[in-house]
Amino acid sequence: MKIIIMGCGRVGAQLASLLDADGHKITVLDVDAHSFRRLPPSFGGTALVGDGTDEEMLRKAGIGEADAFVAVTQGDNRNVMAAQIAKNIFNVPKVICRIYDPLRKDVYEALGLEAVSPTTVFAQLLRDKLLAT
């Protein structure tokens, strides 16, 4: 699959590395070139400096041919905006965004965005570990 990842923090870089190793064609976008230091030397994808909420930058990243788009910056608003652009303007078949705020995640899902809240996932994981016997 051709996958565009917006955000090259720890999660974005790890996701890019895993998908690249699986043989997918990966393009990573980040506004800070220094973020690409998190990609492993073996990364075979493309790293582009740019804003994933900018339609021209998304075109440059190849969003017209993308099978999937993932938004994992530190900002919920940026992730939602980029996910909506990918889904509604470029008709990317699979769009997922990270939303830290669990309440907002539910609202965005009601609007048709596939969202993951690491806050909720981690809280559930901690609860399960605390209550495990």
Side-chain angles (χ1 to χ4, degrees):
M1 289 191 343
K2 179 171 175 38
I3 303 166
I4 298 173
I5 299 170
M6 183 181 95
C8 195
R10 290 179 184 92
V11 172
Q14 182 69 26
L15 179 62
S17 177
L18 290 171
L19 293 169
D20 181 57
D22 288 344
H24 298 285
K25 186 174 180 184
I26 307 301
T27 298
V28 182
L29 278 173
D30 199 293
V31 294
D32 181 2
H34 192 60
S35 296
F36 298 132
R37 73 187 186 289
R38 295 183 178 100
L39 294 168
S42 61
F43 180 67
T46 302
L48 288 176
V49 176
D51 185 348
T53 61
D54 180 330
E55 291 180 35
E56 279 307 309
M57 181 51 65
L58 289 170
R59 284 187 186 92
K60 185 176 179 182
I63 199 163
E65 300 81 39
D67 300 298
F69 179 86
V70 182
V72 287
T73 72
Q74 293 296 314
D76 286 359
N77 291 337
R78 291 190 67 225
N79 291 341
V80 167
M81 182 183 297
Q84 287 180 317
I85 291 169
K87 181 176 179 156
N88 298 321
I89 294 176
F90 293 104
N91 299 312
V92 177
K94 183 77 171 178
V95 176
I96 301 173
C97 61
R98 173 173 62 189
I99 303 297
Y100 284 108
D101 184 340
L103 297 176
R104 294 168 84 187
K105 174 194 162 285
D106 294 341
V107 171
Y108 296 138
E109 283 189 335
L111 295 173
L113 290 175
E114 190 168 343
V116 175
S117 171
T119 305
T120 301
V121 171
F122 192 60
Q124 290 170 341
L125 177 68
L126 289 175
R127 181 200 64 197
D128 293 348
K129 285 195 173 281
L130 284 169
L131 300 179
T133 56

